[in-house]
Amino acid sequence: MPRGRPVAPMSLDIEEKNQLLGVARSRSLPHGVVQRAQIVLACAEGESNAAIAERMGLSNVTVGKWRRRYRERGLEGLHDELRAGRPRTHEDERVAEVINTALRVKPPNAAQWSVRSMAEHAGVSKSTVQRWFDLFGVQPHRQRHFKLSNDPFFVEKVRDIVGLYLNPPDHAVVLCVDEKTQIQALQRTQPMLPMGLGYVEGVTHDYVRHGTTTLFAALDVATGEVLAQCKRRHRHQEFLAFLRHIDASVPAHLDVHLIVDNYATHKHAKVKAWLARRERCHMHYTPTYASWINQVERWFGLITQQAIRRGSFSNVKQLVHKINDFVEHYNAQTTPFAWAATADSILAKIERLCSVISGTQH
């Protein structure tokens, strides 16, 4: 025999059902709101509170609450009600004044604002300033370096290289080539302290230099695989030897497109003469001050972070062995970098940056 008061059936018209379906399938709304819309839809299908609660891992009271809230208030009833709290201490105009000051005005006796100096200037607590800075993403203590290319053929070179990334030619391999020079074999004067619970790895600030090496690398854009060689110097002779290594490593039936920067070694007369004798080799130069467009620079960042920076080497041979070991393991499980930027998006971003610098942005 059924117990308790009977639950009134839930009926929805087409518009209400479509609205609830949109909320129930959303991936951007809060999970609680999505779940409540699913509860109401289940109720409209005739499912009992107990069955919904058991299926969703909720209590009968919770299911009944949201059924009732939707019946009384509609879609708005599925959102949490505002909770009582302390009234705001500062108005929006006051917050805007502090943020605009941090963005547009330099402090009188310093290069940039700090939380404490802004708090003293604005007459509010430093915790309040910190909260406002965090809310709006204001970071006066940080800088990001940049340099605009002054290459007269910047647009043409960007379109050429990005075209190789997004639409590589058939029967060809595209290689990003560069050298990482003056990699020092540094030996710390004392052993490192291992990382532990509550404290980071410890390393001495001083070291002994044991020589340098230069890493030549060619990154295959399609596969992510890297050809690498370490050499003592970075003259045109070493670069030419690395080009010969590339030529021998790439199957003879494939064309070779090489993306390089404007370093003088890459444009040496003997290098140009060697390239002229090999019709399958095509050189593509990046714009000046635009090394970011060469994907091998990202790989140099990886090997520096994961193999070189924290190492301690008693001689160059150890350093070279570490580099070769990293390359071998990297190629065993490599994936290509995902390049998504088009030439038009890059040029549009440069245009916006130029507008900000010149003060003509809208």
Side-chain angles (χ1 to χ4, degrees):
M1 180 177 179
R3 303 173 61 183
R5 291 178 298 178
V7 179
M10 176 76 70
S11 61
L12 303 173
D13 58 31
I14 296 178
E15 183 178 355
E16 289 177 326
K17 186 173 182 180
N18 289 336
Q19 288 179 341
L20 286 168
L21 285 172
V23 174
R25 296 169 181 172
S26 174
R27 296 187 178 182
S28 58
L29 290 172
H31 172 70
V33 177
V34 172
Q35 188 180 61
R36 293 159 197 168
Q38 294 170 352
I39 291 173
V40 175
L41 287 170
C43 292
E45 293 293 331
E47 196 171 352
S48 67
N49 288 4
I52 298 172
E54 182 178 359
R55 178 166 58 85
M56 293 189 172
L58 303 171
S59 67
N60 291 359
V61 175
T62 300
V63 175
K65 170 185 175 182
W66 296 114
R67 175 196 286 263
R68 185 178 64 257
R69 285 274 292 271
Y70 184 81
R71 186 186 300 279
E72 295 173 352
R73 309 181 193 178
L75 198 60
E76 294 182 0
L78 301 184
H79 294 267
D80 293 315
E81 296 178 337
L82 294 177
R83 300 179 181 179
R86 190 181 69 175
R88 293 181 58 183
T89 307
H90 304 283
E91 299 295 332
D92 290 344
E93 291 77 9
R94 183 60 170 155
V95 179
E97 180 184 352
V98 171
I99 297 301
N100 286 329
T101 300
L103 294 177
R104 297 188 172 92
V105 180
K106 291 290 185 181
N109 299 315
Q112 79 282 330
W113 292 102
S114 67
V115 171
R116 287 178 172 81
S117 63
M118 178 56 73
E120 183 179 355
H121 174 80
V124 297
S125 69
K126 62 179 184 295
S127 60
T128 299
V129 174
Q130 183 67 66
R131 188 169 63 253
W132 292 349
F133 279 5
D134 292 342
L135 178 63
F136 290 95
V138 177
Q139 300 175 324
H141 61 290
R142 297 187 61 189
Q143 284 185 324
R144 186 176 63 181
H145 297 94
F146 76 97
K147 188 174 181 65
L148 293 177
S149 174
N150 57 4
D151 195 316
F153 299 102
F154 177 82
V155 175
E156 292 80 358
K157 290 180 178 180
V158 167
R159 293 193 181 280
D160 176 38
I161 294 174
V162 174
L164 290 174
Y165 291 161
L166 298 180
N167 188 24
D170 296 331
H171 310 295
V173 59
V174 179
L175 300 176
C176 295
V177 181
D178 202 2
E179 57 270 329
K180 184 174 178 62
T181 63
Q182 298 294 314
I183 305 175
Q184 299 188 72
L186 303 179
Q187 183 180 23
R188 301 293 170 177
T189 59
Q190 295 177 4
M192 295 184 181
L193 298 177
M195 178 179 60
L197 299 177
Y199 56 90
V200 299
E201 181 183 61
V203 60
T204 58
H205 67 277
D206 55 343
Y207 46 79
V208 178
R209 294 185 176 94
H210 292 291
T212 63
T213 189
T214 294
L215 171 60
F216 288 80
L219 172 73
D220 189 332
V221 171
T223 66
E225 187 176 353
V226 176
L227 289 174
Q229 284 186 331
C230 288
K231 300 181 181 295
R232 293 182 59 187
R233 303 175 70 177
H234 53 97
R235 304 167 301 172
H236 76 275
Q237 292 95 325
E238 286 76 20
F239 181 64
L240 192 53
F242 185 60
L243 289 180
R244 294 191 182 100
H245 175 62
I246 293 175
D247 189 45
S249 302
V250 177
H253 67 281
L254 296 177
D255 284 350
V256 183
H257 293 265
L258 305 169
I259 298 174
V260 299
D261 61 22
N262 293 274
Y263 187 48
T265 295
H266 303 159
K267 297 182 176 181
H268 194 276
K270 292 186 177 179
V271 173
K272 291 183 176 180
W274 184 87
L275 291 169
R277 294 192 297 270
R278 282 158 180 80
E279 294 183 358
R280 73 170 185 152
C281 295
H282 310 275
M283 195 74 85
H284 304 263
Y285 294 101
T286 63
T288 54
Y289 308 127
S291 59
W292 47 265
I293 204 172
N294 194 333
Q295 292 190 33
V296 76
E297 296 293 342
R298 181 67 191 96
W299 184 81
F300 281 151
L302 289 178
I303 192 172
T304 300
Q305 179 182 9
Q306 299 179 17
I308 299 174
R309 180 172 294 157
R310 292 193 175 187
S312 183
F313 311 100
S314 59
N315 53 59
V316 175
K317 186 177 180 180
Q318 281 188 0
L319 172 61
V320 172
H321 177 75
K322 182 68 174 180
I323 291 173
N324 291 336
D325 187 59
F326 177 86
V327 173
E328 180 181 352
H329 285 81
Y330 183 86
N331 286 336
Q333 53 185 359
T334 184
T335 55
F337 294 125
W339 183 279
T342 64
D344 289 337
S345 68
I346 292 173
L347 297 176
K349 186 174 182 179
I350 297 295
E351 183 179 2
R352 291 194 300 271
L353 183 59
C354 291
S355 298
V356 172
I357 294 174
S358 63
T360 60
Q361 75 275 18
H362 299 290

